[in-house]
Amino acid sequence: MKERYSRQQLFKPIGTSGQAKISERHVLVVGAGALGTSNAESLVRAGVGKITIIDRDYVEWSNLQRQQLYSEQDASEGLPKAIAAKKRLTQVNSSVDIQAVVMDATSESLAPLLKDVDVVVDATDNFDIRLIINDLTQKHNIPWVYGSCVSSTGMSYTILPQKTPCLQCLLNAAPIAGATCDTAGVISPAVQVVAAYQTTEVLKLLVEDYQAIRPSLVTFDLWNNQHYTMNVEKAKKENCPSCGVAPTYPHLSYEYQTKTEVLCGRDTVQIRPKHATESLDELVERLASFGEVKRNPYLVSVIYESYRIVFFQDGRTFVHGTNNIEKAKSIYYRLVG
């Protein structure tokens, strides 16, 4: 057992003292999909003292191509991802305290999980949750590492409260939104590169090597052999509502969050985003790859799998075919990103 981390301890920036710090730290991984499973496995192998994994979804066959902790049996049984991840990670390193939480990530559900957390890893699939993470970590002064990937591209950025621009700052300064895995697909190497950037930054934070933290936003396209780093230091804004001199943490407020409700007797969930993200014409183009699209001057509808999704001009969306809010939200984010 003494040799378990010997190669990691031979790496001078970590050493024996750094390994001792790692073994005492607590990391929260939000999302147990491709990025979440890759980060979690690397951190468990590195000997992080405690890891909490939160995810609302279950393992499906399409996950197995890139979500490395899961097996065919997990998909056959439809195990919740957090539970399946814990099962596998415990086999990897039984000395790590692994907490699996099966629930939707909201401002209310995430806040209690932040107690004693040293770093948060973003492994989510939508910006509603990321902006909630951003506000919560700013409010509680916890560093977090943003990451995303789609197609053969990816990006990562480390956010240090009171020091670096936050995600809200970057949304106005850098091109960090775009397609989704359900519209453009994703290859496993892109996942691994983003996760490698994220896990490395987490280790730097855990051993308190703040001088080594990468200050730039890194982006890449593996298929087209492109790699960029973007200096975003000037993106930080004094009047930012999330990290400025007088923060209000808007994304923790109800009016800034996506609203959902089950429509009585209709096997339908209504989703009301905080604002309409696209025009109906743009939606028609985006949804064409998912199924048969119909539109009139007031709405656009698409048949996706066994569901009919209707988008209204004011941004409201009906997901017909389920009364499960989490399932409806998952379908919604697959279609609109």
Side-chain angles (χ1 to χ4, degrees):
M1 292 293 290
K2 291 183 178 179
E3 295 184 354
R4 178 163 200 148
Y5 308 113
S6 61
R7 300 303 186 272
Q8 186 164 282
Q9 291 174 192
L10 286 171
F11 180 61
K12 290 184 179 179
I14 293 180
T16 55
S17 61
Q19 189 63 47
K21 292 177 182 178
I22 290 171
S23 69
E24 297 171 350
R25 305 305 194 202
H26 180 190
V27 177
L28 173 63
V29 180
V30 185
L35 289 177
T37 55
S38 185
N39 274 285
E41 180 169 353
S42 293
L43 292 169
V44 163
R45 290 186 184 277
V48 172
K50 180 178 180 179
I51 291 185
T52 299
I53 303 171
I54 176 173
D55 195 280
R56 66 188 177 191
D57 210 347
Y58 56 88
V59 182
E60 299 179 280
W61 287 91
S62 64
N63 302 150
L64 302 183
Q65 167 254 346
R66 66 198 180 282
Q67 298 181 18
Q68 65 189 53
L69 292 180
Y70 307 131
S71 67
E72 292 185 351
Q73 183 177 349
D74 295 331
S76 295
E77 296 177 1
L79 279 183
K81 288 184 177 180
I83 301 300
K86 178 179 179 178
K87 179 183 70 171
R88 172 58 182 150
L89 290 171
T90 301
Q91 295 172 341
V92 170
N93 193 343
S94 60
S95 67
V96 177
D97 181 3
I98 301 167
Q99 300 295 316
V101 183
V102 183
M103 67 180 183
D104 195 19
T106 65
S107 58
E108 291 79 15
S109 66
L110 281 175
L113 298 179
L114 293 176
K115 182 180 180 181
D116 300 325
V117 164
D118 296 289
V119 183
V120 176
V121 177
D122 164 36
T124 65
D125 61 1
N126 69 81
F127 273 89
D128 278 352
I129 299 175
R130 287 187 177 112
L131 288 167
I132 288 172
I133 292 172
N134 187 66
D135 277 9
L136 281 172
T137 51
Q138 292 294 327
K139 183 176 181 179
H140 295 280
N141 196 32
I142 301 171
W144 70 287
V145 186
Y146 161 78
S148 67
C149 55
V150 65
S151 184
S152 60
T153 69
M155 60 179 63
S156 179
Y157 179 62
T158 303
I159 297 172
L160 305 178
Q162 302 177 26
K163 295 180 180 179
T164 68
C166 74
L167 183 63
Q168 182 67 56
C169 295
L170 291 190
L171 283 173
N172 298 320
I176 62 174
T180 71
C181 295
D182 289 275
T183 58
V186 63
I187 58 173
S188 181
V191 174
Q192 300 304 318
V193 173
V194 174
Y197 275 116
Q198 287 185 290
T199 302
T200 304
E201 292 294 289
V202 171
L203 290 174
K204 294 175 188 177
L205 290 165
L206 297 184
V207 301
E208 302 175 0
D209 188 358
Y210 300 112
Q211 296 299 317
I213 296 296
R214 175 173 38 78
S216 58
L217 172 72
V218 62
T219 69
F220 63 84
D221 184 335
L222 294 178
W223 205 263
N224 293 299
N225 308 306
Q226 297 171 344
H227 186 277
Y228 304 98
T229 56
M230 181 184 302
N231 187 331
V232 295
E233 292 180 30
K234 294 183 179 179
K236 187 168 178 59
K237 298 177 175 60
E238 287 191 359
N239 64 347
C240 174
S242 297
C243 74
V245 294
T248 58
Y249 312 116
H251 299 283
L252 305 184
S253 302
Y254 178 77
E255 60 266 25
Y256 275 81
Q257 297 176 16
T258 297
K259 319 299 189 303
T260 56
E261 63 177 312
V262 178
L263 301 186
C264 184
R266 295 185 59 185
D267 196 30
T268 298
V269 173
Q270 175 180 268
I271 298 175
R272 185 188 295 273
K274 54 184 176 286
H275 54 77
T277 56
E278 294 179 290
S279 69
L280 294 185
D281 288 336
E282 290 172 326
L283 275 171
V284 169
E285 184 176 348
R286 175 187 285 269
L287 298 173
S289 62
F290 288 99
E292 180 185 359
V293 179
K294 296 182 179 179
R295 79 154 292 179
N296 61 36
Y298 313 101
L299 56 84
V300 170
S301 67
V302 62
I303 303 298
Y304 174 64
E305 296 180 347
S306 59
Y307 308 95
R308 185 167 68 93
I309 301 92
V310 179
F311 298 85
F312 295 87
Q313 205 160 27
D314 63 359
R316 287 179 305 116
T317 302
F318 285 176
V319 181
H320 297 287
T322 183
N323 58 11
N324 184 299
I325 287 177
E326 284 71 29
K327 181 65 177 178
K329 288 170 68 176
S330 176
I331 294 167
Y332 174 80
Y333 286 125
R334 288 181 192 177
L335 298 185
V336 304

